[in-house]
Amino acid sequence: MESFRFCFLMLTIAILASPALSDLVLSKVDRRRPYVLQIYLTSHIVRISSTVKVENAGPEKESLVLLAFPEQQAKNMAYLMAAPHEGKGKVKNPVVALPVKAANPKDMPAALTFYSVSLPQGLAEGDSFTFDVLAVFTHALRPIPEQITQADIQLVLYQDSAHYLSPYAVKVQSLSVKLPDSRIESYTKLENTKIHGSEIKYGPYENLPSFSYSPIAVHFESNLPFAVAQELVREIEISHWGNVQVTEHYKLIHGGAQSKGEFSRLDFLARPIVRGASAFRYLVANLPPRAHSVYYRDEIGNISTSHLRGDSKKTELLIEPRYPMFGGWRTAFTIGYGLPLQDFLYESDGKRFLNITFSSPMVELVIDALIVKVVLPEGSSDISVAAPFPVEQWQETKISHLDIDGRPVVVLKKTNVVPEHNQFFQVYYHFSQLSMLREPLMLISGFFFFFVACIVYMHADISISKSSASYLAKRQWEEVQAVVQQVQNIISRCLTIHDNLEASLRDLSRTGNIQACKAARKAADGLLKELSKELKPLLTFLQSSPSAAQVEELVAKERELQEKVMVKHSTVVDGYEKKLGARDIENRVALQQQKLTALRQEVDDLLEFIDEI
Amino acid sequence: MAAPETSTAAVQTLYTNNTLRNAFGGVLSFFILLLIGVMAFSIRLFSVIKYESVIHEFDPYFNYRVTQFLAKNGIYEFWNWFDDRTWYPLGRVIGGTVYPGLTLTAGTIWWLLNSLNIPLSVETVCVFTAPIFSAFASWATYLLTKEVKGTGAGLTAAALLAMVPSYISRSVAGSYDNEAVAIFALIFTFYLYIKTLNTGTLFYATLNSIAYFYMVCSWGGYTFIINLIPMHVLLCIVTGRFSSRLYIAYAPLVVLGTLLAALVPVVGFNAVMTSEHFASFLVFIIIHVVAFVYYIKGILSPKMFKVAVTLVVSVGLAVCCAVIAVLIALVASSPTKGWSGRSLSLLDPTYASKYIPIIASVSEHQPPTWPSYFMDINVLAFLVPAGIIACFLPLSDASSFVVLYIATSVYFSGVMVRLMLVLAPAACITSGIALSQAFDVFTGSIKFQLTGASSNTEVDAAETSSSTAESQTDAVKTEKPEETAKNRPSRKSKKKEREHGEKPSTKAKAEKKRLLALPLESSVISLLLLVLLGAFYVVHCVWAAAEAYSAPSIVLTSHSHDGLHVFDDFREAYAWLRHNTDVDDKVASWWDYGYQTTAMANRTVIVDNNTWNNTHIATVGTAMSSPERAAWEIFHSLDVKYVLVVFGGLVGYPSDDINKFLWMVRIGGGVFPHIKEPDYLRDGQYRIDSQATPTMLNCLMYKLSYYRFVETDGKGFDRVRQTEIGKKYFKLTHFEEAFTTHHWMVRIYKLKPPKNRIRGKTKKSKSKTSSTTSSPKRSGTKKKNPWQ
């Protein structure tokens, strides 16, 4: 602490020794309305908004106004913006911002960092101009004590100057410091110091010389979430099939006072406000409207503690880390969501451009290092980026689903990011609509060739050797199979003929038409002869095959059966011709009939057996 | 003249019809198989839908971690991986002590997908490996059963296996365990064995060895294969079914399979050294002797053969006796008789509980109860006997194998719950056979009865010409010879095999069928009952998959009147460890949580689920059952920074450390005799209420579990044990609470640093020695700290 103060003291001296830069006079620097410097300490992001009325007291025309920040602050500065003052109200991202550049004027103390604001038109002598400056600082609050137990409240210290540090003389100036809570441990008391609940007012001070500096320190309670993302990788992937997929990988730390000693869940659950005041339990992300497929997980799986509420204006995602975040505790997680493409992708003069916010949707989150990767569809070209503030930028390639040469990735990197950076940026690129069909066509052709290959394989004979024993054996076996099949067919046809003969006999017994029966017999004879003729070459072919014995047996049995059927037929027909009684005929045939059935049985069995081969 | 012509034409069309029908049947069964695969995959997705795509339980986390390593570092690094994150300070050579099959499979799938530019994460691949392989397993079952009993039985068995609860329990999405892949490998190896046995080609024999190699890579259960197949070969030889096909099926498997198995580092020379493999070598010798005898028999005349037999038998017996004596002596000289503990506990179910508490402490190594059979294989338990009978009609080489498989697996499943998994495929195969046979009989008789009743109404277009003739001949030959009834069964089964290839001569079959045919009503009713049984099975399986076996066990849910409660405490604790402790901090916990801690928290653990070093586990057990001071010293000597205990008393989570505590005492006491189990029991009862022994109330586990527990409700009511705790108000002197999860299920304590503690402690312990009956003991246990 002491050394810190001393440092500031040195600084003050240094500033006082330096000469005035120009004859500009800050007629009124107000930290309170209408011309006030206001310091918002209501979150862990420090915001200093000041309204400056600048007046040219010298003869020369001036168009540049220098803003000075001590090195200590400049190091932590995340965002600086100046805009013409528009009556009442705070600075609200006005449309026309004044250009702000880092400046390095000569003969200025080295311990200060300067930025120059270019005024819209030069100020002639006596002219004045009013503008607002918003400066945002991160890591500017220092927890004192640095380590607290679970039961302690978190106290932080903020240091600044009560006087407006400027290379110009200041006519009137006042300062107000807004705190989150009225509980203040201590604060520097100067003349004209007032305290209004959670607001401390310094000033007004009049006619301050240039570089006047009066250190103040405010030590107060702040139990707001000190959420700091040490690294955030945002991947925005565009699919022209209608989706913008955003994936955000957070590495989060509680940036407040380190927790020490035991963590008792009991105390935390029983009295969460007293025991565990410094911890934060949830974060809120304001996603764009119509965000869908939201997920929240880490490397070991889904995290079930989250809530999603949505309306037409925005989608609010409330996430709880796996455990309450105490000072110094870390966690890492990923959230992802899909957005409708038409809300973010536009076309202008032949080029498409993506218009999407740069930073994290989390509320009041400080990001130490933000990497935004915009993955464009495969085949995009002429890529350019328009960002509202300077960023580091390079290109990569990402190979994803079914890519051949990868998707171009624009990588933007920025350190020290605050919610004020959550502005829209644009990525312009060329993309032909036909490239969209690339992957489906690839899949279709892939499957097509696969099936064609299958068909070719099934139909082509790809044996290595046409003369190898096994191949020949296989071919032979196939032939034998075919022949056996034919034999079986013939035999079964024979059997059908036998059945027809039997049928004709039955007709005979019913009608007594001997002639018809004889005709049937004749036809059957002819057919059977034909069939036996057909059978001969097949049998000779089969002679050498292993199943020849069975087939021959089958044929022999069939012959026998054939003969028996014929004999029976002729006996019956004879009987009718001789006009014997039906019973006589049956008696005569009975024996034959028995043999017939037995034979038929055997033939059937053989057929079945052969069939199994 | 017209009639014969039409009949020949009809035969022709019938012939083409048959080929068409065969082709149609082929396409149909292809699509059925495809659907079975889809079902097998999708029924296992309940866990992803109901919970999330996450790795389950304990062992899968280790496999997942190994796969991550493999994916990141490649195969060579993997073989040489010495893991210093576990078994601190010993470490573990992962490459040499793990069955690499599963890891390599998932790693290959991941690599393949990534080289096709499909960037799936390793986790996704691991989660879905098991369902994919279940689909493969059901296809393998189809192939196996088809080899045994034909396509119908194959399809039925595949459908049954696709959803058998026992297998689902080990292969839901996320259950990334060896068994998921191993069951497929097991069935496929059996299929290739049967295929070789049926065809006798060396091609399949080689494939069989490779499948066996894959099985050896995947699971320690490969010993089941290498014992079952020799048993079957022996059975075939004894029952006189020796053939050259049998020789080809077996000999290459032993030679190639053993060589390949020895390539797996974790098996290595065990493939020839341990007793589990001796049966295969013995049968290998026997089959050669038998083959030789058959060869000689073929050469010599019967007389000469007899002479030769007497000669050889007399000489051979002497030699065999000598060899066997040497073998027995060799085996007997090793302490465990050359058997590993787990195998021994298979042969002697009481072995583990007597000698190895670590094996006995695992719930899945306990014998199953009857309800668990019903839970795990459900109606299959009733169908199995019918299937076995069907296997005997007729008995072939293949069906005798199935009978042997089911018989042995029933025995093994009776010894260990875990081996229920081996029973499941066997039960599915036999039940599939039974079901399909029954359907054949019933549908056959219905068909017959219908066609018989109204001959002309229901006939195929092709049969019209001959059907009238047929029915008339039927009428003539009413008296069918009864003799054929004898060989009815065999014929019936033959017919089964070619249900699709219906022959033109249906008449004779119809005759036979008439004899087999059941009355129409009874067959319709039986058919309905069978369908009902199947439906019951399906309902049960879906229920089991959805409710019983889908919980990932790291995320718990409970339904209460105000909705679903999610208990995600384990991951909360692991995430806390991962992000808020130093990378090299050592975390001590009971071994159950070792794998999860290394995988999810990425912190070094003292012991884990690979229980290879009993002494080390006993040390942790001793520390947990010692008083605070002694425990602190043990942990401190092990360089432990955090101690993690699982405590279910607040929300009623029953499998917490207090319930496992007796095993810690037993295992600890097995190595360090000053820990005595009776000290923790009051009259033989394990209790933590006011009746508990002082040793129990002062041990570290009790203190870490119940530290400040009484302040939650003022009484200290433990909702798992349903009692108030014995010692309610106490302070920790050597440990401090570092983190407790939302539902208190995981409590992490930090060891206090030594210097401050010793000074503060001597003062403090004097001031608050109200209950220090254990203080003299402390000095006693201190000396016995094995790490000092």
Side-chain angles (χ1 to χ4, degrees):
Chain A
M1 262 309 280
E2 275 311 308
S3 66
F4 203 66
R5 283 231 166 119
F6 178 70
C7 178
F8 268 104
L9 206 65
M10 292 296 291
L11 199 78
T12 322
I13 295 164
I15 293 165
L16 287 177
S18 65
L21 171 75
S22 70
D23 300 328
L24 279 179
V25 173
L26 300 183
S27 60
K28 274 180 182 173
V29 174
D30 247 355
R31 308 192 178 187
R32 189 87 182 92
R33 211 160 22 103
Y35 306 109
V36 169
L37 192 65
Q38 269 181 311
I39 302 180
Y40 292 92
L41 301 176
T42 48
S43 102
H44 69 298
I45 300 169
V46 175
R47 293 188 173 83
I48 301 179
S49 98
S50 41
T51 309
V52 180
K53 186 176 179 190
V54 62
E55 202 178 290
N56 195 355
E60 283 161 44
K61 216 174 183 185
E62 291 285 345
S63 61
L64 282 180
V65 180
L66 285 180
L67 303 174
F69 295 96
E71 205 175 34
Q72 213 70 22
Q73 275 189 343
K75 209 174 60 189
N76 292 330
M77 182 148 70
Y79 184 74
L80 181 67
M81 197 210 61
H85 184 66
E86 293 178 334
K88 289 188 205 171
K90 294 174 202 169
V91 181
K92 276 194 219 156
N93 281 358
V95 191
V96 256
L98 299 173
V100 180
K101 264 188 259 168
N104 202 5
K106 286 173 200 164
D107 307 328
M108 282 289 162
L112 290 180
T113 310
F114 289 91
Y115 292 91
S116 67
V117 177
S118 320
L119 301 180
Q121 64 256 20
L123 286 181
E125 189 174 357
D127 282 0
S128 72
F129 182 74
T130 312
F131 61 94
D132 294 320
V133 178
L134 175 70
V136 181
F137 301 91
T138 58
H139 303 290
L141 299 178
R142 214 156 62 103
I144 305 264
E146 286 185 331
Q147 287 195 328
I148 55 171
T149 64
Q150 186 185 353
D152 293 340
I153 51 168
Q154 179 173 270
L155 298 172
V156 292
L157 180 79
Y158 177 72
Q159 289 168 317
D160 202 349
S161 162
H163 295 168
Y164 187 71
L165 184 61
S166 164
Y168 313 111
V170 177
K171 276 187 182 166
V172 185
Q173 179 245 319
S174 69
L175 162 75
S176 88
V177 180
K178 284 201 169 167
L179 303 177
D181 215 308
S182 54
R183 276 173 290 187
I184 303 164
E185 190 81 0
S186 70
Y187 62 97
T188 313
K189 284 195 179 96
L190 299 173
E191 46 176 330
N192 277 340
T193 308
K194 273 175 279 177
I195 184 156
H196 267 286
S198 63
E199 191 173 343
I200 306 173
K201 283 185 186 168
Y202 290 97
Y205 305 108
E206 288 178 22
N207 291 327
L208 299 172
S210 60
F211 295 117
S212 72
Y213 192 89
S214 137
I216 53 164
V218 187
H219 194 198
F220 60 99
E221 180 185 332
S222 173
N223 286 323
L224 294 154
F226 272 55
V228 179
Q230 293 182 309
E231 190 188 270
L232 166 61
V233 179
R234 265 187 114 214
E235 193 178 277
I236 301 162
E237 185 157 0
I238 301 168
S239 159
H240 277 260
W241 295 98
N243 192 33
V244 177
Q245 179 68 33
V246 183
T247 315
E248 299 173 353
H249 305 273
Y250 289 87
K251 274 186 193 158
L252 208 67
I253 187 172
H254 184 296
Q258 300 278 315
S259 107
K260 68 172 180 195
E262 291 200 333
F263 162 68
S264 168
R265 175 68 71 169
L266 181 80
D267 293 338
F268 183 73
L269 283 182
R271 296 178 289 277
I273 298 165
V274 186
R275 307 291 178 95
S278 60
F280 68 87
R281 281 199 267 191
Y282 58 84
L283 293 164
V284 178
N286 290 321
L287 306 182
R290 301 211 278 153
H292 59 89
S293 326
V294 183
Y295 66 86
Y296 168 45
R297 57 167 293 154
D298 63 5
E299 56 200 326
I300 57 177
N302 180 43
I303 307 172
S304 49
T305 44
S306 58
H307 301 279
L308 187 71
R309 279 184 295 271
D311 53 33
S312 59
K313 293 270 176 62
K314 63 165 193 272
T315 313
E316 190 181 85
L317 173 69
L318 186 141
I319 57 172
E320 279 179 51
R322 285 194 188 273
Y323 39 85
M325 296 289 288
F326 278 88
W329 285 13
R330 290 152 202 276
T331 190
F333 58 86
T334 302
I335 61 174
Y337 45 92
L339 300 170
L341 185 76
Q342 68 268 24
D343 293 4
F344 296 93
L345 194 79
Y346 306 95
E347 253 189 288
S348 73
D349 25 296
K351 268 194 155 186
R352 291 156 202 270
F353 70 94
L354 174 80
N355 186 36
I356 200 166
T357 51
F358 181 75
S359 178
S360 152
M362 296 277 179
V363 174
E364 290 300 283
L365 179 75
V366 169
I367 304 159
D368 287 348
L370 170 66
I371 296 172
V372 179
K373 295 181 175 180
V374 182
V375 183
L376 300 172
E378 195 178 17
S380 309
S381 54
D382 293 342
I383 301 157
S384 60
V385 179
F389 35 79
V391 287
E392 223 180 304
Q393 182 184 334
W394 67 92
Q395 280 201 15
E396 285 175 1
T397 331
K398 179 188 173 183
I399 294 184
S400 185
H401 293 278
L402 299 170
D403 287 348
I404 293 168
D405 48 359
R407 309 178 182 193
V409 181
V410 181
V411 188
L412 308 173
K413 189 179 175 184
K414 173 138 183 65
T415 54
N416 223 357
V417 179
V418 289
E420 274 75 9
H421 285 115
N422 211 357
Q423 300 171 12
F424 284 91
F425 75 105
Q426 292 80 34
V427 179
Y428 295 87
Y429 63 98
H430 270 300
F431 180 74
S432 140
Q433 207 72 33
L434 276 179
S435 306
M436 266 171 74
L437 297 174
R438 198 148 126 178
E439 277 155 16
L441 284 179
M442 204 169 78
L443 274 184
I444 289 167
S445 53
F447 276 100
F448 178 72
F449 285 116
F450 174 71
F451 288 133
V452 165
C454 283
I455 291 167
V456 167
Y457 175 78
M458 294 302 282
H459 285 266
D461 188 351
I462 50 163
S463 311
I464 299 168
S465 153
K466 305 276 187 228
S467 57
S468 80
S470 65
Y471 178 73
L472 287 180
K474 198 179 151 210
R475 290 304 295 271
Q476 206 173 357
W477 178 241
E478 276 165 11
E479 277 171 33
V480 167
Q481 287 272 310
V483 173
V484 168
Q485 191 71 46
Q486 282 175 330
V487 171
Q488 273 179 315
N489 267 335
I490 291 170
I491 300 285
S492 52
R493 274 154 73 190
C494 288
L495 291 180
T496 335
I497 294 166
H498 297 170
D499 291 344
N500 286 343
L501 277 178
E502 296 275 356
S504 72
L505 279 185
R506 241 170 283 129
D507 279 346
L508 179 66
S509 68
R510 206 170 56 241
T511 58
N513 190 347
I514 298 172
Q515 288 311 313
C517 191
K518 275 187 177 166
R521 163 85 186 258
K522 230 180 213 169
D525 267 345
L527 271 176
L528 284 174
K529 256 175 209 156
E530 262 176 45
L531 285 178
S532 65
K533 249 186 226 163
E534 272 180 42
L535 208 54
K536 256 178 204 161
L538 297 179
L539 283 180
T540 47
F541 178 83
L542 275 179
Q543 250 163 13
S544 55
S545 78
S547 53
Q550 279 92 14
V551 174
E552 265 163 27
E553 199 189 341
L554 174 71
V555 173
K557 284 268 150 71
E558 203 275 330
R559 286 262 161 76
E560 210 177 320
L561 182 68
Q562 202 173 313
E563 277 164 25
K564 288 270 153 61
V565 169
M566 291 301 173
V567 170
K568 182 192 166 196
H569 197 264
S570 38
T571 328
V572 175
V573 173
D574 275 0
Y576 272 98
E577 274 183 338
K578 288 174 189 165
K579 311 252 158 125
L580 288 176
R583 192 162 289 172
D584 267 352
I585 297 172
E586 247 176 58
N587 282 342
R588 274 199 206 174
V589 182
L591 199 73
Q592 290 171 354
Q593 185 63 46
Q594 262 184 24
K595 275 184 193 164
L596 261 179
T597 12
L599 265 175
R600 185 71 191 243
Q601 189 61 46
E602 277 175 46
V603 169
D604 278 349
D605 282 356
L606 272 171
L607 264 179
E608 256 183 42
F609 182 77
I610 287 171
D611 200 37
E612 263 169 45
I613 294 175
Chain B
M1 282 301 283
E5 269 175 29
T6 45
S7 78
T8 45
V11 166
Q12 215 59 40
T13 47
L14 198 63
Y15 177 64
T16 49
N17 237 17
N18 276 332
T19 45
L20 245 181
R21 225 170 129 162
N22 279 337
F24 182 68
V27 171
L28 194 66
S29 48
F30 175 79
F31 275 106
I32 291 173
L33 271 181
L34 205 69
L35 287 178
I36 286 174
V38 169
M39 180 181 70
F41 182 81
S42 50
I43 200 173
R44 285 162 171 82
L45 298 186
F46 274 113
S47 62
V48 172
I49 292 161
K50 287 185 71 179
Y51 295 88
E52 59 180 286
S53 168
V54 73
I55 307 283
H56 289 195
E57 294 193 314
F58 305 106
D59 287 21
Y61 267 99
F62 170 73
N63 296 325
Y64 170 48
R65 183 163 161 259
V66 176
T67 314
Q68 274 182 317
F69 184 89
L70 174 72
K72 203 171 146 199
N73 297 305
I75 181 95
Y76 292 106
E77 285 291 312
F78 165 69
W79 290 123
N80 295 325
W81 185 21
F82 178 80
D83 184 11
D84 57 357
R85 292 254 133 194
T86 180
W87 292 97
Y88 183 82
L90 307 171
R92 177 183 172 196
V93 188
I94 300 280
T97 58
V98 77
Y99 284 102
L102 176 74
T103 316
L104 291 181
T105 308
T108 313
I109 295 175
W110 179 83
W111 175 82
L112 209 70
L113 287 174
N114 272 275
S115 51
L116 287 175
N117 284 339
I118 301 173
L120 290 183
S121 68
V122 178
E123 191 190 9
T124 314
V125 173
C126 290
V127 165
F128 292 103
T129 299
I132 290 171
F133 270 79
S134 320
F136 291 169
S138 53
W139 293 333
T141 311
Y142 163 74
L143 292 173
L144 173 57
T145 320
K146 190 185 157 207
E147 281 303 309
V148 178
K149 280 283 172 187
T151 317
L155 288 175
T156 323
L160 290 177
L161 186 104
M163 50 184 171
V164 65
S166 171
Y167 187 30
I168 286 180
S169 74
R170 292 317 194 98
S171 62
V172 292
S175 178
Y176 178 57
D177 212 347
N178 287 336
E179 286 91 335
V181 175
I183 292 302
F184 159 70
L186 181 88
I187 301 170
F188 198 62
T189 312
F190 285 154
Y191 156 67
L192 285 171
Y193 171 70
I194 296 294
K195 184 82 185 171
T196 325
L197 201 57
N198 282 349
T199 57
T201 51
L202 214 46
F203 172 68
Y204 283 112
T206 320
L207 281 188
N208 189 19
S209 316
I210 292 169
Y212 172 68
F213 173 58
Y214 185 62
M215 177 69 192
V216 176
C217 281
S218 309
W219 197 30
Y222 75 91
T223 46
F224 181 64
I225 294 181
I226 204 63
N227 283 302
L228 183 63
I229 290 180
M231 275 166 76
H232 178 244
V233 170
L234 208 61
L235 185 82
C236 284
I237 291 172
V238 168
T239 52
R241 285 170 167 274
F242 176 82
S243 63
S244 56
R245 287 176 289 113
L246 186 70
Y247 182 83
I248 287 171
Y250 186 64
L253 173 69
V254 171
V255 177
L256 280 177
T258 306
L259 280 177
L260 288 170
L263 291 180
V264 183
V266 65
V267 177
F269 278 104
N270 284 350
V272 286
M273 304 276 277
T274 56
S275 299
E276 280 98 338
H277 307 81
F278 279 179
S280 62
F281 300 129
L282 194 69
V283 172
F284 186 66
I285 296 167
I286 290 173
I287 200 172
H288 275 95
V289 170
V290 171
F292 185 67
V293 167
Y294 271 81
Y295 177 68
I296 296 291
K297 206 175 175 180
I299 292 176
L300 298 179
S301 64
K303 233 183 221 173
M304 286 289 283
F305 183 68
K306 261 183 191 170
V307 176
V309 164
T310 43
L311 196 82
V312 169
V313 162
S314 49
V315 177
L317 265 184
V319 176
C320 275
C321 284
V323 170
I324 288 169
V326 169
L327 271 181
I328 288 174
L330 268 179
V331 171
S333 63
S334 73
T336 58
K337 315 250 183 316
W339 292 77
S340 65
R342 271 184 199 152
S343 310
L344 265 186
S345 64
L346 280 182
L347 297 182
D348 173 10
T350 58
Y351 178 84
S353 54
K354 274 190 281 188
Y355 302 107
I356 322 170
I358 275 201
I359 291 182
S361 75
V362 182
S363 61
E364 64 181 24
H365 291 162
Q366 309 290 343
T369 52
W370 285 115
S372 72
Y373 274 98
F374 188 74
M375 175 70 202
D376 274 3
I377 57 174
N378 201 247
V379 301
L380 304 189
F382 311 120
L383 290 171
V384 163
I388 294 175
I389 292 170
C391 283
F392 278 101
L393 305 172
L395 192 67
S396 65
D397 289 350
S399 64
S400 70
F401 179 78
V402 170
V403 173
L404 198 66
Y405 178 24
I406 184 88
T408 46
S409 61
V410 164
Y411 169 74
F412 285 133
S413 71
V415 178
M416 259 189 212
V417 181
R418 187 175 149 147
L419 292 180
M420 195 78 92
L421 200 58
V422 176
L423 170 68
C428 288
I429 292 165
T430 43
S431 313
I433 292 171
L435 268 184
S436 100
Q437 299 282 56
F439 270 110
D440 266 344
V441 170
F442 294 137
T443 49
S445 39
I446 288 174
K447 195 174 169 191
F448 173 76
Q449 299 284 11
L450 287 180
T451 49
S454 53
S455 52
N456 288 331
T457 50
E458 199 193 280
V459 261
D460 284 349
E463 284 174 352
T464 35
S465 62
S466 56
S467 64
T468 42
E470 251 172 49
S471 56
Q472 279 163 1
T473 26
D474 279 351
V476 174
K477 303 174 194 168
T478 34
E479 359 79 78
K480 163 95 193 178
E482 287 295 325
E483 302 90 63
T484 44
K486 280 181 203 161
N487 38 12
R488 192 202 312 166
S490 69
R491 229 176 249 148
K492 181 193 87 182
S493 64
K494 269 184 205 164
K495 210 182 296 156
K496 295 288 115 69
E497 295 200 50
R498 324 163 273 101
E499 257 274 298
H500 301 286
E502 203 170 283
K503 286 301 117 194
S505 62
T506 46
K507 192 179 71 182
K509 270 183 209 162
E511 291 282 332
K512 276 178 239 153
K513 268 185 192 162
R514 162 168 289 184
L515 281 177
L516 288 173
L518 296 161
L520 183 66
E521 297 76 22
S522 65
S523 44
V524 167
I525 289 170
S526 322
L527 212 58
L528 282 179
L529 286 177
L530 272 187
V531 170
L532 208 66
L533 195 71
F536 180 68
Y537 176 74
V538 171
V539 168
H540 173 81
C541 290
V542 172
W543 172 81
E547 300 293 327
Y549 292 133
S550 282
S553 97
I554 57 161
V555 189
L556 308 164
T557 54
S558 81
H559 293 274
S560 66
H561 56 275
D562 54 340
L564 183 78
H565 278 270
V566 179
F567 298 90
D568 203 358
D569 284 36
F570 287 106
R571 286 192 297 187
E572 183 182 347
Y574 293 131
W576 185 85
L577 276 175
R578 183 182 194 107
H579 294 295
N580 296 306
T581 58
D582 193 65
V583 171
D584 288 323
D585 284 346
K586 281 88 193 168
V587 181
S589 66
W590 190 234
W591 60 262
D592 294 22
Y593 312 104
Y595 279 164
Q596 292 186 347
T597 311
T598 41
M600 280 196 265
N602 192 22
R603 291 294 170 266
T604 310
V605 295
I606 306 299
V607 291
D608 69 21
N609 309 42
N610 177 264
T611 53
W612 66 277
N613 188 327
N614 193 28
T615 316
H616 219 52
I617 292 177
T619 310
V620 175
T622 307
M624 292 295 190
S625 29
S626 302
E628 215 186 320
R629 168 78 199 246
W632 184 88
E633 267 163 19
I634 294 174
F635 281 141
H636 188 67
S637 64
L638 282 169
D639 203 11
V640 168
K641 196 112 177 257
Y642 295 93
V643 180
L644 179 150
V645 293
V646 173
F647 170 65
L650 185 74
V651 288
Y653 171 64
S655 51
D656 64 351
D657 277 347
I658 291 285
N659 274 2
K660 290 172 187 166
F661 182 57
L662 270 194
W663 288 110
M664 302 182 203
V665 174
R666 267 174 219 155
I667 293 167
V671 178
F672 305 105
H674 67 274
I675 303 290
K676 296 183 194 72
E677 193 179 335
D679 290 348
Y680 297 86
L681 303 175
R682 174 75 72 195
D683 306 326
Q685 269 192 311
Y686 177 62
R687 51 202 310 170
I688 45 110
D689 54 8
S690 49
Q691 297 293 305
T693 58
T695 326
M696 177 70 214
L697 294 182
N698 282 308
C699 71
L700 184 71
M701 180 51 74
Y702 180 89
K703 285 192 164 179
L704 296 191
S705 291
Y706 293 114
Y707 177 62
R708 297 190 71 187
F709 177 59
V710 70
E711 292 171 50
T712 52
D713 58 353
K715 287 186 297 188
F717 186 78
D718 186 323
R719 291 172 69 177
V720 174
R721 267 66 58 176
Q722 292 295 330
T723 172
E724 275 182 36
I725 58 171
K727 194 173 166 185
K728 295 180 177 173
Y729 298 95
F730 54 85
K731 283 199 167 135
L732 294 173
T733 45
H734 299 84
F735 295 86
E736 64 178 19
E737 191 178 359
F739 186 74
T740 298
T741 57
H742 190 254
H743 303 98
W744 290 50
M745 274 163 58
V746 184
R747 310 195 72 181
I748 300 169
Y749 292 85
K750 194 175 181 181
L751 269 76
K752 284 188 180 166
K755 262 187 187 171
N756 296 339
R757 181 196 50 75
I758 284 168
R759 254 181 241 148
K761 207 234 119 204
T762 42
K763 277 177 215 157
K764 260 186 190 169
S765 67
K766 266 172 201 167
S767 63
K768 55 133 225 148
T769 41
S770 51
S771 65
T772 36
T773 42
S774 56
S775 59
K777 234 177 221 168
R778 278 180 186 171
S779 53
T781 47
K782 187 181 158 192
K783 272 168 203 156
K784 286 184 178 153
N785 177 3
W787 294 99
Q788 278 191 339

